[in-house]
Amino acid sequence: MLIISLALTCSINKTETCSEAYNKFVACFNKSKSEESELVFCRRFQYYVKHGGLIQPMMDTEIPSQLKKLKVITKASTEVDCQEYYCYASNVLKDLTHIYESVDLREAGLSNPAQDQGNCSSCWVFTMTSLMENSIKLQQFDSSQQFWAMSRDLSEQFILSNTFGPEYCGESDLMVGFDYFNKNIETVEIRANFVYNPSYKFYNDSFAKNISLKPKIDKSLYLKPFQTFQVIQDDTQTTPVIGIHTDEEDIFTSSTIWTIKSYLSRGIVIGGAMQMSNKNMNHILTLDGSIVQNIACDMSQNPIKNHQVTIIGYGRKNGQEVWIIKNSYGQYWGGSGHIFVPIGKNSMCSEMYAIAIIPLTYDLSSTDPYFNIGSHTRGNYYDLDRDDGDLIDSDNDAWILAIEIMIPIFGVGTIGGVFVFTFKKKQYKNVNDPKNQPEELENEPEKEPENDETVSSVLE
């Protein structure tokens, strides 16, 4: 009777408020109580209310599993297993000469809202989905494919259930995921057809029996929304993955940063990785999305990066140059699922991994930024600082560096003389102003309205 009574007392149901459920959870499972842990619990409780599942693991599985540790090819081979080794193509897009001062691809309608991966090690699936959703938004479709011009919310569950390289809800990597998808999965699917629910028994049983989910969309709509290129390590294979920065030992150089900004200025998001297993996990899981998060990368951890995310923009926040990172911890993490990290600081090891995919219809010879990157009229709590939406010249970086180096040298070596270096940053008219549109962009079709229908999904 005591056991039954205790079970009833600790039972948590969907009719309770989050606060009531949290207090019961703390008491029954002997957890430490804090505002931070309650925030994390409430995010999990919301998922439980919508999808069901166990309450006990809500706090016990907050620390994400390690990403799959891939091997590095040391010499060319013709028999590379891309499920075990890093396989990627070289960068096929030239760096832009002119990029935007800042980019937030949410403003351009090129990045969907952040989803929640729930109690499942599927960050790589959510980042894959973010990249492919972005790719579809940048596609040019003929009349037979207009469905994809409107339906751009992809199913994470479909990818998770049909990728049999890793264990179900197990560790993996974007490169492995895209390699498997490219070779074994016929199409993406829409979220409405396969709503994310990794604990659903049917999905678990199907995966255990190696049974793939069959697409529900018509076969005429099957789509792999990316181009493929020759794998650097094995010229007999192709991959959609462009390896922008894959060296696990080094951080982004200034050249890499410019390349990433060039991709973002074209409207193309970046697959990234970061460290989410710091000792103070409650802090990591409740980051304030309105401030710049500069958290030291713990180089003693192995692997250094254990969580994959999407870089969807750059610019300035509170005067500091930052990346915008989209996570898969849901809308209640950071600023609607996003945070700012400083550029050049490797905060949370976020500047040690960068890949991209190229939209299926993208013109590889294009040297122009995306024609409508957003208004830049910001001012909200979780926004970048406002700017004019101007383009800046890549030569400016070299000038600034020269000035920073030479002024101290001349200042120390010269007595009685003052050398003043001035330079005017070359700016371009706001390309979002129709009066200033380049001639070749005047006839561009208007961006189609975004399909605002979103389905709540689910973390590691």
Side-chain angles (χ1 to χ4, degrees):
M1 293 296 293
L2 178 62
I3 295 175
I4 295 174
S5 176
L6 181 62
L8 290 173
T9 303
C10 290
S11 175
I12 295 175
N13 62 66
K14 298 179 181 181
T15 63
E16 293 175 302
T17 66
C18 176
S19 180
E20 290 171 340
Y22 176 70
N23 288 333
K24 190 180 292 186
F25 175 80
V26 168
C28 290
F29 298 114
N30 194 28
K31 299 292 183 180
S32 297
K33 192 172 184 178
S34 68
E35 291 183 8
E36 291 84 1
S37 65
E38 185 171 2
L39 285 172
V40 175
F41 178 89
C42 286
R43 179 164 58 82
R44 286 282 171 262
F45 184 70
Q46 183 188 48
Y47 171 68
Y48 165 76
V49 169
K50 290 184 177 180
H51 301 285
L54 298 176
I55 295 295
Q56 168 65 43
M58 280 187 172
M59 302 295 286
D60 294 339
T61 60
E62 284 296 340
I63 297 178
S65 300
Q66 302 299 314
L67 286 179
K68 181 170 182 175
K69 180 71 173 177
L70 300 180
K71 302 171 185 176
V72 178
I73 298 291
T74 56
K75 62 180 180 179
S77 172
T78 57
E79 298 181 355
V80 175
D81 182 355
C82 292
Q83 293 294 298
E84 296 294 332
Y85 291 87
Y86 282 118
C87 288
Y88 53 87
S90 59
N91 187 10
V92 294
L93 297 180
K94 292 183 178 180
D95 285 356
L96 296 179
T97 305
H98 312 122
I99 64 171
Y100 289 99
E101 279 192 85
S102 67
V103 167
D104 184 340
L105 293 182
R106 293 171 293 183
E107 295 176 353
L110 295 176
S111 180
N112 283 353
Q115 303 297 323
D116 192 340
Q117 65 188 75
N119 295 319
C120 177
S121 298
S122 54
C123 58
W124 55 279
V125 174
F126 280 75
T127 304
M128 279 181 65
T129 303
S130 289
L131 267 60
M132 289 195 284
E133 286 174 336
N134 168 258
S135 188
I136 290 175
K137 289 169 179 284
L138 290 167
Q139 303 282 355
Q140 298 296 320
F141 295 104
D142 60 34
S143 58
S144 67
Q145 292 277 302
Q146 283 304 308
F147 169 83
W148 286 112
M150 296 299 296
S151 302
R152 294 170 286 191
D153 293 324
L154 299 184
S155 170
E156 294 87 0
Q157 186 65 55
F158 184 77
I159 298 173
L160 176 66
S161 290
N162 288 354
T163 304
F164 292 100
E167 296 179 1
Y168 185 71
C169 277
E171 61 189 52
S172 192
D173 182 278
L174 284 173
M175 296 192 207
V176 169
F178 274 118
D179 175 72
Y180 191 91
F181 185 97
N182 182 44
K183 294 174 180 175
N184 299 285
I185 302 178
E186 293 183 282
T187 181
V188 291
E189 252 288 2
I190 60 173
R191 185 174 296 139
N193 284 346
F194 296 95
V195 176
Y196 185 73
N197 185 2
S199 63
Y200 182 37
K201 187 176 185 301
F202 172 76
Y203 291 151
N204 280 268
D205 292 347
S206 297
F207 193 90
K209 297 175 183 177
N210 286 336
I211 299 175
S212 301
L213 301 181
K214 301 302 180 184
K216 294 182 180 180
I217 59 173
D218 189 85
K219 194 158 188 175
S220 65
L221 298 173
Y222 282 14
L223 176 66
K224 292 183 179 181
F226 46 68
Q227 300 183 42
T228 58
F229 308 93
Q230 181 178 305
V231 172
I232 288 178
Q233 300 87 345
D234 182 352
D235 60 12
T236 67
Q237 299 188 59
T238 61
T239 178
V241 175
I242 303 299
I244 296 174
H245 185 94
T246 58
D247 189 337
E248 292 188 316
E249 306 300 323
D250 296 325
I251 64 173
F252 296 168
T253 64
S254 58
S255 175
T256 303
I257 290 172
W258 187 268
T259 297
I260 293 173
K261 288 181 176 180
S262 290
Y263 268 80
L264 293 167
S265 282
R266 296 175 189 266
I268 300 174
V269 301
I270 299 295
M274 61 196 305
Q275 188 178 82
M276 297 298 287
S277 58
N278 293 51
K279 296 177 181 178
N280 187 357
M281 280 304 296
N282 279 340
H283 173 60
I284 296 296
L285 289 165
T286 56
L287 293 179
D288 185 344
S290 68
I291 63 176
V292 180
Q293 300 291 341
N294 189 4
I295 300 173
C297 174
D298 185 353
M299 301 295 286
S300 67
Q301 292 194 24
N302 185 28
I304 298 170
K305 315 169 300 299
N306 68 341
H307 183 66
Q308 292 188 314
V309 293
T310 312
I311 302 175
I312 65 158
Y314 66 88
R316 291 188 176 276
K317 178 64 176 176
N318 302 328
Q320 189 171 1
E321 194 176 14
V322 297
W323 300 116
I324 307 174
I325 290 182
K326 173 183 174 181
N327 204 351
S328 51
Y329 287 4
Q331 293 283 303
Y332 296 98
W333 183 84
S336 299
H338 301 73
I339 59 168
F340 300 106
V341 297
I343 292 178
K345 302 295 185 182
N346 196 30
S347 174
M348 290 185 279
C349 312
S350 59
E351 296 182 303
M352 304 180 74
Y353 182 102
I355 66 105
I357 61 173
I358 309 297
L360 187 61
T361 57
Y362 194 84
D363 180 3
L364 299 181
S365 65
S366 173
T367 58
D368 297 321
Y370 189 71
F371 71 96
N372 185 14
I373 211 69
S375 67
H376 294 234
T377 54
R378 298 148 184 158
N380 293 324
Y381 197 58
Y382 299 122
D383 289 345
L384 289 171
D385 295 347
R386 184 175 302 189
D387 65 40
D388 296 326
D390 291 334
L391 293 171
I392 58 174
D393 193 327
S394 61
D395 291 338
N396 288 347
D397 286 350
W399 274 100
I400 293 171
L401 181 61
I403 292 170
E404 289 175 346
I405 293 174
M406 295 304 293
I407 286 181
I409 294 175
F410 281 110
V412 171
T414 303
I415 299 176
V418 177
F419 290 82
V420 178
F421 290 84
T422 61
F423 100 119
K424 178 177 177 57
K425 180 171 70 173
K426 184 178 180 182
Q427 292 187 336
Y428 295 79
K429 296 294 185 179
N430 187 333
V431 296
N432 299 312
D433 186 340
K435 295 182 294 184
N436 300 321
Q437 288 286 343
E439 188 172 300
E440 67 271 22
L441 298 179
E442 289 179 353
N443 296 320
E444 285 283 342
E446 292 185 3
K447 185 169 73 68
E448 294 162 349
E450 177 127 13
N451 180 8
D452 289 329
E453 181 181 354
T454 59
V455 181
S456 293
S457 297
V458 285
L459 183 225
E460 241 148 28

mmCIF file of all heavy atoms in Angstrom, residues 210-230:
data_model
loop_
_atom_site.group_PDB
_atom_site.id
_atom_site.type_symbol
_atom_site.label_atom_id
_atom_site.label_comp_id
_atom_site.label_asym_id
_atom_site.label_seq_id
_atom_site.Cartn_x
_atom_site.Cartn_y
_atom_site.Cartn_z
ATOM 1 N N ASN A 210 14.458 -2.074 -38.663
ATOM 2 C CA ASN A 210 15.025 -1.525 -39.897
ATOM 3 C C ASN A 210 13.966 -1.269 -40.965
ATOM 4 O O ASN A 210 14.197 -1.464 -42.163
ATOM 5 C CB ASN A 210 16.108 -2.437 -40.466
ATOM 6 C CG ASN A 210 17.387 -2.369 -39.663
ATOM 7 O OD1 ASN A 210 17.649 -1.383 -38.977
ATOM 8 N ND2 ASN A 210 18.181 -3.408 -39.731
ATOM 9 N N ILE A 211 12.793 -0.851 -40.528
ATOM 10 C CA ILE A 211 11.705 -0.529 -41.452
ATOM 11 C C ILE A 211 11.637 0.983 -41.628
ATOM 12 O O ILE A 211 11.427 1.727 -40.668
ATOM 13 C CB ILE A 211 10.355 -1.053 -40.926
ATOM 14 C CG1 ILE A 211 10.400 -2.573 -40.784
ATOM 15 C CG2 ILE A 211 9.222 -0.630 -41.848
ATOM 16 C CD1 ILE A 211 9.153 -3.157 -40.149
ATOM 17 N N SER A 212 11.815 1.457 -42.844
ATOM 18 C CA SER A 212 11.785 2.887 -43.130
ATOM 19 C C SER A 212 10.357 3.410 -43.144
ATOM 20 O O SER A 212 9.413 2.676 -43.470
ATOM 21 C CB SER A 212 12.429 3.175 -44.488
ATOM 22 O OG SER A 212 13.763 2.733 -44.529
ATOM 23 N N LEU A 213 10.208 4.678 -42.800
ATOM 24 C CA LEU A 213 8.921 5.342 -42.993
ATOM 25 C C LEU A 213 8.749 5.641 -44.477
ATOM 26 O O LEU A 213 9.663 6.159 -45.118
ATOM 27 C CB LEU A 213 8.861 6.644 -42.191
ATOM 28 C CG LEU A 213 9.036 6.557 -40.677
ATOM 29 C CD1 LEU A 213 8.913 7.946 -40.057
ATOM 30 C CD2 LEU A 213 8.028 5.599 -40.057
ATOM 31 N N LYS A 214 7.585 5.329 -45.019
ATOM 32 C CA LYS A 214 7.320 5.594 -46.428
ATOM 33 C C LYS A 214 6.801 7.015 -46.600
ATOM 34 O O LYS A 214 5.935 7.463 -45.839
ATOM 35 C CB LYS A 214 6.297 4.598 -46.979
ATOM 36 C CG LYS A 214 6.719 3.138 -46.856
ATOM 37 C CD LYS A 214 8.043 2.877 -47.576
ATOM 38 C CE LYS A 214 8.454 1.411 -47.451
ATOM 39 N NZ LYS A 214 9.793 1.160 -48.058
ATOM 40 N N PRO A 215 7.315 7.750 -47.589
ATOM 41 C CA PRO A 215 6.830 9.123 -47.799
ATOM 42 C C PRO A 215 5.329 9.146 -48.057
ATOM 43 O O PRO A 215 4.783 8.242 -48.700
ATOM 44 C CB PRO A 215 7.611 9.579 -49.039
ATOM 45 C CG PRO A 215 8.796 8.681 -49.107
ATOM 46 C CD PRO A 215 8.353 7.370 -48.559
ATOM 47 N N LYS A 216 4.679 10.177 -47.553
ATOM 48 C CA LYS A 216 3.249 10.365 -47.793
ATOM 49 C C LYS A 216 2.977 11.344 -48.927
ATOM 50 O O LYS A 216 1.878 11.354 -49.482
ATOM 51 C CB LYS A 216 2.563 10.854 -46.511
ATOM 52 C CG LYS A 216 2.576 9.819 -45.392
ATOM 53 C CD LYS A 216 1.838 10.332 -44.162
ATOM 54 C CE LYS A 216 1.855 9.285 -43.042
ATOM 55 N NZ LYS A 216 1.142 9.770 -41.830
ATOM 56 N N ILE A 217 3.953 12.176 -49.251
ATOM 57 C CA ILE A 217 3.754 13.098 -50.366
ATOM 58 C C ILE A 217 3.771 12.318 -51.677
ATOM 59 O O ILE A 217 4.314 11.214 -51.763
ATOM 60 C CB ILE A 217 4.847 14.196 -50.402
ATOM 61 C CG1 ILE A 217 6.242 13.569 -50.533
ATOM 62 C CG2 ILE A 217 4.766 15.091 -49.188
ATOM 63 C CD1 ILE A 217 7.343 14.580 -50.744
ATOM 64 N N ASP A 218 3.170 12.880 -52.690
ATOM 65 C CA ASP A 218 3.140 12.231 -53.995
ATOM 66 C C ASP A 218 4.554 12.106 -54.558
ATOM 67 O O ASP A 218 5.394 12.982 -54.341
ATOM 68 C CB ASP A 218 2.268 13.047 -54.958
ATOM 69 C CG ASP A 218 2.033 12.310 -56.264
ATOM 70 O OD1 ASP A 218 1.102 11.485 -56.321
ATOM 71 O OD2 ASP A 218 2.804 12.564 -57.220
ATOM 72 N N LYS A 219 4.776 11.021 -55.290
ATOM 73 C CA LYS A 219 6.124 10.772 -55.804
ATOM 74 C C LYS A 219 6.609 11.886 -56.726
ATOM 75 O O LYS A 219 7.809 12.140 -56.834
ATOM 76 C CB LYS A 219 6.177 9.430 -56.528
ATOM 77 C CG LYS A 219 7.592 8.938 -56.793
ATOM 78 C CD LYS A 219 7.649 7.447 -57.015
ATOM 79 C CE LYS A 219 9.107 6.981 -57.082
ATOM 80 N NZ LYS A 219 9.209 5.502 -57.169
ATOM 81 N N SER A 220 5.687 12.573 -57.374
ATOM 82 C CA SER A 220 6.069 13.679 -58.261
ATOM 83 C C SER A 220 6.674 14.843 -57.476
ATOM 84 O O SER A 220 7.306 15.730 -58.068
ATOM 85 C CB SER A 220 4.859 14.165 -59.052
ATOM 86 O OG SER A 220 3.884 14.732 -58.178
ATOM 87 N N LEU A 221 6.490 14.846 -56.162
ATOM 88 C CA LEU A 221 6.998 15.928 -55.314
ATOM 89 C C LEU A 221 8.277 15.552 -54.587
ATOM 90 O O LEU A 221 8.802 16.349 -53.809
ATOM 91 C CB LEU A 221 5.937 16.325 -54.283
ATOM 92 C CG LEU A 221 4.618 16.864 -54.838
ATOM 93 C CD1 LEU A 221 3.619 17.052 -53.715
ATOM 94 C CD2 LEU A 221 4.838 18.160 -55.594
ATOM 95 N N TYR A 222 8.787 14.346 -54.814
ATOM 96 C CA TYR A 222 10.012 13.930 -54.134
ATOM 97 C C TYR A 222 11.118 14.946 -54.407
ATOM 98 O O TYR A 222 11.299 15.412 -55.539
ATOM 99 C CB TYR A 222 10.458 12.555 -54.616
ATOM 100 C CG TYR A 222 9.683 11.398 -54.019
ATOM 101 C CD1 TYR A 222 8.482 11.597 -53.330
ATOM 102 C CD2 TYR A 222 10.139 10.086 -54.148
ATOM 103 C CE1 TYR A 222 7.779 10.543 -52.785
ATOM 104 C CE2 TYR A 222 9.436 9.013 -53.608
ATOM 105 C CZ TYR A 222 8.252 9.251 -52.933
ATOM 106 O OH TYR A 222 7.552 8.207 -52.403
ATOM 107 N N LEU A 223 11.871 15.264 -53.365
ATOM 108 C CA LEU A 223 12.867 16.330 -53.492
ATOM 109 C C LEU A 223 14.054 16.093 -52.569
ATOM 110 O O LEU A 223 13.879 15.840 -51.369
ATOM 111 C CB LEU A 223 12.221 17.679 -53.145
ATOM 112 C CG LEU A 223 13.139 18.902 -53.124
ATOM 113 C CD1 LEU A 223 13.676 19.194 -54.530
ATOM 114 C CD2 LEU A 223 12.403 20.117 -52.573
ATOM 115 N N LYS A 224 15.235 16.164 -53.131
ATOM 116 C CA LYS A 224 16.468 16.318 -52.366
ATOM 117 C C LYS A 224 16.950 17.730 -52.676
ATOM 118 O O LYS A 224 17.469 17.989 -53.767
ATOM 119 C CB LYS A 224 17.509 15.283 -52.782
ATOM 120 C CG LYS A 224 17.150 13.852 -52.411
ATOM 121 C CD LYS A 224 18.280 12.894 -52.788
ATOM 122 C CE LYS A 224 17.948 11.475 -52.397
ATOM 123 N NZ LYS A 224 19.045 10.536 -52.726
ATOM 124 N N PRO A 225 16.799 18.655 -51.746
ATOM 125 C CA PRO A 225 16.946 20.077 -52.074
ATOM 126 C C PRO A 225 18.380 20.596 -52.059
ATOM 127 O O PRO A 225 18.661 21.674 -51.547
ATOM 128 C CB PRO A 225 16.109 20.749 -50.983
ATOM 129 C CG PRO A 225 16.270 19.850 -49.805
ATOM 130 C CD PRO A 225 16.352 18.452 -50.361
ATOM 131 N N PHE A 226 19.310 19.824 -52.626
ATOM 132 C CA PHE A 226 20.704 20.268 -52.610
ATOM 133 C C PHE A 226 21.444 19.733 -53.828
ATOM 134 O O PHE A 226 21.042 18.757 -54.453
ATOM 135 C CB PHE A 226 21.417 19.790 -51.338
ATOM 136 C CG PHE A 226 21.177 18.337 -50.991
ATOM 137 C CD1 PHE A 226 21.689 17.300 -51.784
ATOM 138 C CD2 PHE A 226 20.438 17.990 -49.872
ATOM 139 C CE1 PHE A 226 21.469 15.964 -51.470
ATOM 140 C CE2 PHE A 226 20.200 16.652 -49.545
ATOM 141 C CZ PHE A 226 20.721 15.647 -50.353
ATOM 142 N N GLN A 227 22.537 20.415 -54.159
ATOM 143 C CA GLN A 227 23.449 19.938 -55.194
ATOM 144 C C GLN A 227 24.480 19.015 -54.549
ATOM 145 O O GLN A 227 24.740 19.091 -53.351
ATOM 146 C CB GLN A 227 24.150 21.116 -55.878
ATOM 147 C CG GLN A 227 23.200 22.096 -56.553
ATOM 148 C CD GLN A 227 23.914 23.202 -57.290
ATOM 149 O OE1 GLN A 227 24.909 22.972 -57.973
ATOM 150 N NE2 GLN A 227 23.396 24.422 -57.165
ATOM 151 N N THR A 228 25.068 18.153 -55.342
ATOM 152 C CA THR A 228 26.121 17.277 -54.832
ATOM 153 C C THR A 228 27.411 17.502 -55.613
ATOM 154 O O THR A 228 27.393 17.907 -56.781
ATOM 155 C CB THR A 228 25.720 15.793 -54.939
ATOM 156 O OG1 THR A 228 25.429 15.465 -56.308
ATOM 157 C CG2 THR A 228 24.504 15.495 -54.069
ATOM 158 N N PHE A 229 28.526 17.215 -54.942
ATOM 159 C CA PHE A 229 29.847 17.466 -55.513
ATOM 160 C C PHE A 229 30.783 16.317 -55.145
ATOM 161 O O PHE A 229 30.490 15.520 -54.255
ATOM 162 C CB PHE A 229 30.400 18.797 -54.982
ATOM 163 C CG PHE A 229 29.448 19.945 -55.146
ATOM 164 C CD1 PHE A 229 28.563 20.292 -54.118
ATOM 165 C CD2 PHE A 229 29.403 20.661 -56.333
ATOM 166 C CE1 PHE A 229 27.667 21.328 -54.271
ATOM 167 C CE2 PHE A 229 28.501 21.708 -56.494
ATOM 168 C CZ PHE A 229 27.643 22.042 -55.465
ATOM 169 N N GLN A 230 31.902 16.274 -55.815
ATOM 170 C CA GLN A 230 32.868 15.194 -55.587
ATOM 171 C C GLN A 230 33.471 15.294 -54.190
ATOM 172 O O GLN A 230 33.868 16.360 -53.737
ATOM 173 C CB GLN A 230 33.976 15.282 -56.631
ATOM 174 C CG GLN A 230 35.045 14.207 -56.517
ATOM 175 C CD GLN A 230 36.086 14.344 -57.622
ATOM 176 O OE1 GLN A 230 35.768 14.355 -58.792
ATOM 177 N NE2 GLN A 230 37.342 14.472 -57.204
#
